[in-house]
Amino acid sequence: QALIDESCVEVRRISHDLMPRSLSLYGLKGAVEDLAGQLRQSGLKVELDIRGDLSDVPERQQVTLYRMLQEGTNNIVKHAQAQSVLLQILRHGHQLTLILEDDGRGFSRLKTSTKESLGLKGLQSRAQFLQGMLDIDTVPQQGTAITFQMPLGQPSKATVS
C-alpha cells in the first residue's frame, strides 16, 4: 500500500512538471497571449483573437490545446517562411474552436517528410485524445490553415480529416 501511495504522489509530481509554466501561472488565455508574444519576437506579424471564457476549460484539455498550438506555431516558425499568423480561440457554449493560419509556403501532404509528418501526427493524436475534429488545409505557396473543434463537457466521436 505504501508503494502504491508513493507511486501516486510521483505520478502527480511528474504530471505537474509536464504542465507549461505559463499555463500554470496565467491560464490558457494568458499562455496563448504569451505564445503570440514569442511569435512576434521571432519577427512574425500575429493577429490574436480569443473570444469567450476559457477559465473553466479542464486542465487536461488546456494542456493538450496549448501543446497543439505549440506544435503548430513551431511548424510555422521552422518550415512555413510565413510573414503573418492568425491565431483564434473561439468558445461558444460547449464548443471550442481553435484556428491557426499562416501565409507561408504551405506544403504538399504527399511530399511531406517523415520528420515533418511527425508534427502532423502529433496534432492528430492530440485531436483524437480531446475527442475533437481536426482539419488541415494547405496549398503549396498559399499557406496553411489548421482548424480544430472540440466539445467541452459533452464528449463526441473523434474525426480527423
Side-chain angles (χ1 to χ4, degrees), residues 5-57:
D5 291 342
E6 189 177 317
S7 296
C8 289
V9 169
E10 186 65 13
V11 166
R12 189 175 296 119
R13 184 194 63 76
I14 290 169
S15 69
H16 283 288
D17 288 347
L18 294 175
M19 184 159 189
R21 181 163 168 75
S22 61
L23 192 57
S24 63
L25 290 175
Y26 310 118
L28 183 58
K29 182 179 180 185
V32 171
E33 289 169 344
D34 185 54
L35 188 60
Q38 293 171 30
L39 290 172
R40 288 182 184 110
Q41 287 179 348
S42 74
L44 290 165
K45 178 184 172 197
V46 179
E47 181 182 341
L48 177 63
D49 182 16
I50 300 174
R51 297 184 193 184
D53 182 19
L54 304 177
S55 63
D56 66 340
V57 174

Side-chain angles (χ1 to χ4, degrees), residues 147-161:
T147 304
F148 174 68
Q149 294 181 314
M150 65 175 266
L152 292 172
Q154 296 175 348
S156 68
K157 296 190 182 218
T159 59
V160 178
S161 60

Side-chain angles (χ1 to χ4, degrees), residues 27-129:
L28 183 58
K29 182 179 180 185
V32 171
E33 289 169 344
D34 185 54
L35 188 60
Q38 293 171 30
L39 290 172
R40 288 182 184 110
Q41 287 179 348
S42 74
L44 290 165
K45 178 184 172 197
V46 179
E47 181 182 341
L48 177 63
D49 182 16
I50 300 174
R51 297 184 193 184
D53 182 19
L54 304 177
S55 63
D56 66 340
V57 174
E59 183 178 289
R60 179 180 77 169
Q61 291 177 332
Q62 287 187 37
V63 171
T64 305
L65 286 165
Y66 184 75
R67 294 290 187 211
M68 290 175 76
L69 281 173
Q70 278 185 313
E71 181 64 41
T73 57
N74 187 44
N75 287 344
I76 291 170
V77 171
K78 282 186 170 181
H79 305 293
Q81 299 174 349
Q83 301 297 310
S84 60
V85 174
L86 168 65
L87 197 164
Q88 292 182 304
I89 299 177
L90 311 169
R91 171 152 186 197
H92 188 266
H94 292 288
Q95 182 77 23
L96 187 104
T97 302
L98 183 150
I99 299 168
L100 183 60
E101 291 183 20
D102 69 70
D103 64 353
R105 63 185 185 136
F107 60 93
S108 167
R109 288 185 141 182
L110 298 174
K111 296 180 181 178
T112 303
S113 73
T114 303
K115 183 178 178 184
E116 290 169 334
S117 68
L118 287 177
L120 296 177
K121 287 180 182 174
L123 286 174
Q124 291 170 343
S125 66
R126 287 183 170 118
Q128 289 173 338
F129 174 76

